[in-house]
Amino acid sequence: MGLAAMQWQEIIELVRLMRDLDVHIAPSEAADCLTGLQLLGEENYETVIRATLLKDAVKRDLWYKLQDLRSLMKLPDFTDKQAENVSTAALDGGGQEKPGSGGAGGDLHYLLTCSRDHIFRHVKSMVAAQYQQLDGTITEQVKQVKRHYNWFMVLRKLEHERETGQISEYRYLNTMEKLRHVENAIELVLVQLNLEQKGCDMINCLKEHWNVTEKNWINLSQVEMQQVKQLVVKLGRKLAVRYSQKYKTGAHRKILLRPTFQQALKHHGLPIKLVKGRRRVGKPRLVILCDVSRSVARFTHFMLTLVYSFQTKYRQVRSFVFVDHPVEVTRWFRELPLEEALQKINNNTLFSWSGFSDFGNVFFEMNNLVSYLDAQRSHLIIVADARNNWKAPRLDQLERLRRSFKKIWWFNPLPEEQWDQEDCLMSLFMPYLDRAFACPNYRALAGAVAGLR
Amino acid sequence: MQVTPDNLKREFLEKGYWLNEEAAKVLYLAILMEKPLLVEGPAGTGKTMLGEVLAGVMGSDLIRLQCYEGIDESKALFEWDYARQLLYIQSVGSGRWEELEAEIYSEKFLLPRPLLKAITSQQKATLIIDEIDKSDEEFESLLLELLSQWQVSIPQLGTVYAATVPYVIITSNNQRRLSEALKRRCLYLYLDYPQLAEELAAVRCHIPEIEEQFAVKLLQFVQRVRRRELIKPPGTAETIDWIKAIRRLDEDDEESMKTALAALLKEQKDLEKVKSDWKRLWG
């Protein structure tokens, strides 16, 4: 029971920390967790918390990271002797003929053979030694440490060996999994060092770095990108479902017999009041205009995923991508699987003549397409950062678009404080928009999408 | 049967369902805590079947509600039998309206739909709310009162309390985000594609006479196929179908295995991808 009490205290602490990081776990769920632990015993701790507290991937991921961070903080550092042994072992590992061997790549190979705790301690001793030379955000620091380990060279060699059949599929996947463990260890160690040595505010540091819903699009790692992508797909489907059942009443409607009878019951069966059906409102017609220039590539990827996931439910969505010239991609979205459609957009260059965003020209060309788009009945959604590369904004063309379309909404991946910096012309465009949303991360995007009516 | 995780595993196995360790424990918790169990996971991993077999194991009636876009309370909860109400009014002629009203808005004229049936059943029932992610957000809200208080409020009749608390299995293909309010009321189980040993046990449930070495080779292939980026990776049900198909054709012939792939993969592009990469996948 003593151990259970300790576990319970740990659960409460982690639940509180999760809440501080804006990931909510209800008191009733925590109570369920306690009941579950009492019923199944503390040896089933993992099963119980997964069943009662961690009901989606974001919560699961964050929980285990926090748990790892706690155990890392309790883990004793290597003694000098042990550290020396580590270096020798690393050198031995590096001496073998393995992909990426030579230099620090040997360390990485050595780590791939170690236990979890040993990886943590090894990474900790290695990273702590060079910590003062690291700069930037934790994401950038992780990249710098990975460079030290010759990470990308090892990865490329691994891919090559897989493609040429030198290693089996099983070994490839296994090594990739181990690399992910090492990457997690590097990240955790850096978080710990940032907290300890730079005296960062723990909540803000973790919120910025670990809550994928709060993390800026450009800071997402590959694994986090997949997580957020799944969230975006679900968000799109939620939106599609929400709009699928919109009705309104109108004057000329069909008389519904069953509700009329029901009403008549109140008057001894006399149908005094006729009940008329509700008229289904046409789903809003949407025209989406997505900037696919390099500066917004990550965000656009997610927005296109969002558009794709609800376009399959709407028949009246027209999608365009642009850099300096709009190109329609509606057909690709309707006919191809998501990945293939995105790939096709990436490989296409028709939307980029000069390679630089030119909103003025895009507005001008969209005006030429207005009649073909049934603009009077459509909402235009622009997804872009409004960075115009110092070119003419051609506000007259945006004004024409405003008159043509029913509404114009703008989703900007930049935080609002950056809307007037450098070549970003958002404040110039604002008077012609019905609404503009700053969407620097998933949470902001979900909030903006939820607010659309 | 005394409900324990081990007993559940054994009973499920007898009914041809291989319940993994974690699922058995979570199911045990759901039964003991009288909580609905939200089961998420990719298609074909046995989420609905879990509920069906549970009904058999617990000896309860199975009540299933298939969700779809637009489902509402008249399809899920209850509806008044208007035609019978009208006939009744005509048959009794004129009378005091208050008495008549009490009569026609009584349980006699109520058509219970699956949710109401499940909680008014005198014997504990098993309720499967299937593919909840296909329904609308409003429908999720409709479930909240039922799943937390085990009661339903009917405006004309008052509150109907559950005679027995049913075993509730809610399945979702994880296609859209479910509301926090719904998830809060449930225990959660993620049924992923099974590991090799688990899948072997599931295959043996259905094809007990299969030779182990041969089954392992086929399952290793399926596991590799699932790691490829496919439109629809094969679930356990498809794997079993594929193995059955191979056994009907010719076990030793690779061409037969390729022909039988139609039972494993349901998308043309996936089929092409796997056939073109056959050598590496087959290993």
Side-chain angles (χ1 to χ4, degrees):
Chain A
M1 194 61 205
L3 184 61
M6 261 179 68
Q7 269 180 344
W8 182 234
Q9 201 180 349
E10 186 184 306
I11 290 170
I12 292 292
E13 270 176 38
L14 286 175
V15 166
R16 278 194 187 149
L17 199 50
M18 297 270 285
R19 285 187 195 143
D20 287 340
L21 297 175
D22 292 339
V23 177
H24 191 66
I25 291 179
S28 60
E29 289 173 304
D32 285 345
C33 180
L34 180 61
T35 315
L37 274 175
Q38 281 167 345
L39 286 170
L40 271 180
E42 61 215 30
E43 64 275 17
N44 290 306
Y45 172 82
E46 290 291 329
T47 303
V48 174
I49 57 163
R50 274 200 291 270
T52 53
L53 303 178
L54 313 178
K55 296 173 184 173
D56 62 53
V58 172
K59 281 182 185 171
R60 268 196 301 275
D61 197 46
L62 188 58
W63 180 276
Y64 289 123
K65 277 183 173 171
L66 291 173
Q67 219 174 27
D68 281 347
L69 184 64
R70 278 173 64 97
S71 45
L72 178 67
M73 285 174 161
K74 287 177 194 163
L75 209 64
D77 287 340
F78 275 147
T79 59
D80 290 345
K81 179 80 182 157
Q82 281 172 320
E84 202 178 304
N85 289 343
V86 162
S87 310
T88 320
L91 282 175
D92 288 348
Q96 292 166 18
E97 193 55 41
K98 282 182 178 173
S101 61
D107 285 351
L108 187 53
H109 280 295
Y110 166 70
L111 284 184
L112 295 179
T113 61
C114 295
S115 69
R116 184 177 158 276
D117 274 6
H118 202 85
I119 291 175
F120 274 133
R121 295 167 78 182
H122 184 281
V123 170
K124 203 171 170 182
S125 80
M126 296 293 277
V127 174
Q130 49 170 316
Y131 180 68
Q132 297 307 328
Q133 294 148 31
L134 302 175
D135 52 19
T137 61
I138 295 173
T139 313
E140 284 156 1
Q141 290 173 355
V142 170
K143 278 184 195 156
Q144 290 163 35
V145 174
K146 278 166 82 176
R147 225 172 286 139
H148 169 83
Y149 277 116
N150 282 348
W151 192 280
F152 303 102
M153 218 169 89
V154 173
L155 203 63
R156 261 202 304 277
K157 185 109 192 259
L158 195 66
E159 296 283 359
H160 174 75
E161 285 177 344
R162 179 202 188 193
E163 274 162 28
T164 52
Q166 291 176 50
I167 54 167
S168 68
E169 186 78 2
Y170 173 78
R171 197 169 155 210
Y172 167 78
L173 292 167
N174 208 16
T175 315
M176 290 299 284
E177 186 64 29
K178 283 180 182 164
L179 281 173
R180 264 193 292 277
H181 285 310
V182 179
E183 191 177 6
N184 280 346
I186 296 172
E187 192 189 1
L188 277 166
V189 167
L190 284 167
V191 169
Q192 191 199 2
L193 287 171
N194 273 277
L195 292 176
E196 281 173 4
Q197 300 200 9
K198 288 192 178 164
C200 301
D201 169 39
M202 183 159 175
I203 300 303
N204 279 337
C205 175
L206 296 183
K207 202 186 265 187
E208 255 171 49
H209 191 65
W210 274 349
N211 188 346
V212 288
T213 63
E214 298 265 347
K215 211 168 171 178
N216 195 303
W217 308 106
I218 46 171
N219 290 333
L220 293 171
S221 68
Q222 285 301 318
V223 178
E224 288 168 341
M225 270 188 74
Q226 284 306 320
Q227 273 184 6
V228 176
K229 200 166 166 182
Q230 280 177 7
L231 290 177
V232 169
V233 169
K234 287 183 186 177
L235 181 70
R237 294 208 173 116
K238 190 172 174 180
L239 192 68
V241 166
R242 186 200 306 159
Y243 279 125
S244 66
Q245 288 297 309
K246 292 287 172 196
Y247 295 97
K248 76 172 182 187
T249 51
H252 306 289
R253 290 163 288 137
K254 214 167 106 181
I255 294 169
L256 301 177
L257 286 179
R258 184 170 281 199
T260 303
F261 287 149
Q262 190 189 8
Q263 283 294 323
L265 292 175
K266 293 177 182 167
H267 310 285
H268 286 240
L270 293 173
I272 292 171
K273 190 181 169 193
L274 298 177
V275 179
K276 291 178 178 178
R278 291 175 296 180
R279 190 156 55 91
R280 199 183 267 261
V281 175
K283 293 170 187 174
R285 289 160 190 260
L286 299 178
V287 176
I288 320 255
L289 189 56
C290 265
D291 183 358
V292 285
S293 61
R294 283 176 66 89
S295 61
V296 285
R298 277 272 173 102
F299 179 62
T300 307
H301 181 84
F302 288 111
M303 274 310 283
L304 289 174
T305 306
L306 180 75
V307 172
Y308 180 89
S309 56
F310 70 77
Q311 176 150 316
T312 48
K313 294 265 180 179
Y314 282 85
R315 295 309 293 171
Q316 292 159 337
V317 180
R318 305 285 293 269
S319 311
F320 293 81
V321 293
F322 71 92
V323 172
D324 53 9
H325 165 73
V327 169
E328 181 159 14
V329 293
T330 313
R331 244 188 68 202
W332 295 347
F333 271 14
R334 285 210 184 124
E335 293 168 6
L336 299 174
L338 172 65
E339 293 305 329
E340 240 174 275
L342 294 178
Q343 194 64 44
K344 208 153 182 177
I345 291 170
N346 285 340
N347 295 341
N348 200 313
T349 49
L350 284 173
F351 45 74
S352 175
W353 292 345
S354 66
F356 299 102
S357 300
D358 183 352
F359 287 87
N361 188 52
V362 172
F363 296 152
F364 170 74
E365 291 194 35
M366 284 305 286
N367 272 315
N368 294 338
L369 296 171
V370 156
S371 56
Y372 152 78
L373 290 173
D374 194 8
Q376 278 302 324
R377 292 199 289 165
S378 302
H379 295 186
L380 174 66
I381 298 181
I382 302 173
V383 179
D385 61 359
R387 287 180 183 271
N388 204 31
N389 298 297
W390 314 107
K391 293 182 181 174
R394 301 184 71 174
L395 294 175
D396 57 317
Q397 294 299 326
L398 181 58
E399 192 184 2
R400 268 184 67 196
L401 278 180
R402 176 67 200 91
R403 282 201 304 269
S404 306
F405 280 93
K406 204 169 170 183
K407 279 182 182 170
I408 301 185
W409 295 321
W410 193 303
F411 287 73
N412 194 324
L414 297 177
E416 216 163 331
E417 58 272 17
Q418 289 178 27
W419 280 8
D420 286 326
Q421 289 174 10
E422 299 172 0
D423 56 344
C424 180
L425 302 179
M426 203 56 198
S427 57
L428 279 181
F429 296 149
M430 287 281 278
Y432 306 99
L433 309 175
D434 289 279
R435 292 186 76 175
F437 305 95
C439 307
N441 53 39
Y442 170 79
R443 187 179 289 270
L445 175 67
V449 167
L452 290 181
R453 284 286 182 273
Chain B
M1 178 192 75
Q2 196 202 347
V3 181
T4 64
D6 287 340
N7 284 351
L8 281 172
K9 265 186 91 168
R10 202 187 52 246
E11 292 283 329
F12 267 70
L13 196 60
E14 272 174 26
K15 299 228 177 302
Y17 186 102
W18 198 87
L19 194 64
N20 69 41
E21 202 69 40
E22 175 145 342
K25 286 171 183 166
V26 177
L27 195 57
Y28 163 78
L29 281 185
I31 293 170
L32 257 68
M33 291 165 74
E34 297 197 326
K35 284 249 169 193
L37 178 60
L38 171 63
V39 190
E40 278 194 322
T45 47
K47 298 181 294 293
T48 310
M49 204 175 163
L50 177 85
E52 289 167 0
V53 177
L54 178 69
V57 167
M58 302 308 285
S60 56
D61 287 339
L62 175 68
I63 299 173
R64 181 172 165 172
L65 175 67
Q66 175 63 52
C67 297
Y68 51 87
E69 202 178 306
I71 189 170
D72 59 11
E73 62 177 3
S74 67
K75 300 287 183 300
L77 209 50
F78 71 91
E79 196 174 14
W80 290 107
D81 191 345
Y82 304 121
R84 281 190 64 223
Q85 283 175 323
L86 273 177
L87 284 172
Y88 182 76
I89 291 169
Q90 282 173 1
S91 69
V92 296
S94 58
R96 276 178 60 81
W97 171 242
E98 287 75 18
E99 286 167 17
L100 205 54
E101 192 181 23
E103 277 279 319
I104 58 172
Y105 287 119
S106 64
E107 284 180 31
K108 204 159 60 178
F109 294 98
L110 192 69
L111 294 173
R113 301 296 186 209
L115 297 180
L116 191 60
K117 261 189 205 165
I119 64 161
T120 51
S121 163
Q122 289 308 309
Q123 280 195 329
K124 223 169 164 63
T126 298
L127 171 67
I128 302 178
I129 303 176
D130 210 8
E131 299 187 321
I132 190 155
D133 48 336
K134 285 192 178 160
S135 68
D136 312 314
E137 279 175 315
E138 290 84 350
F139 180 70
E140 274 182 49
S141 312
L142 187 77
L143 290 176
L144 298 182
E145 184 189 12
L146 180 92
L147 297 181
S148 55
Q149 312 293 322
W150 301 111
Q151 64 178 44
V152 170
S153 301
I154 300 175
Q156 299 89 342
L157 207 60
T159 306
V160 178
Y161 298 97
T164 52
V165 176
Y167 307 114
V168 182
I169 304 289
I170 304 173
T171 75
S172 159
N173 285 333
N174 213 4
Q175 299 272 305
R176 82 172 164 84
R177 266 197 108 165
L178 299 175
S179 70
E180 284 296 319
L182 179 75
K183 285 201 270 188
R184 217 169 32 235
R185 285 161 172 81
C186 304
L187 293 186
Y188 180 83
L189 174 67
Y190 189 84
L191 273 189
D192 206 349
Y193 295 116
Q195 300 290 314
L196 186 72
E198 293 173 347
E199 197 157 28
L200 181 64
V203 168
R204 281 185 145 175
C205 269
H206 290 265
I207 319 168
E209 66 282 5
I210 192 164
E211 191 201 332
E212 181 161 329
Q213 214 178 348
F214 177 61
V216 168
K217 189 145 197 232
L218 294 179
L219 293 177
Q220 278 174 339
F221 170 82
V222 174
Q223 301 260 334
R224 283 185 210 121
V225 166
R226 280 192 194 125
R227 288 193 190 119
R228 289 293 147 104
E229 280 182 13
L230 300 178
I231 301 168
K232 167 71 186 78
T236 313
E238 280 107 348
T239 307
I240 292 166
D241 286 347
W242 181 56
I243 296 176
K244 281 181 180 168
I246 291 172
R247 287 166 60 82
R248 287 197 170 234
L249 293 167
D250 182 358
E251 289 188 14
D252 299 324
D253 181 19
E254 272 196 24
E255 274 312 305
S256 307
M257 291 178 192
K258 283 186 192 172
T259 310
L261 274 180
L264 188 72
L265 301 162
K266 308 293 166 63
E267 293 279 344
Q268 184 57 28
K269 280 189 179 159
D270 290 348
L271 270 171
E272 283 166 12
K273 207 181 226 179
V274 169
K275 277 182 183 168
S276 67
D277 209 10
W278 177 269
K279 216 171 172 183
R280 192 185 290 183
L281 288 166
W282 188 244

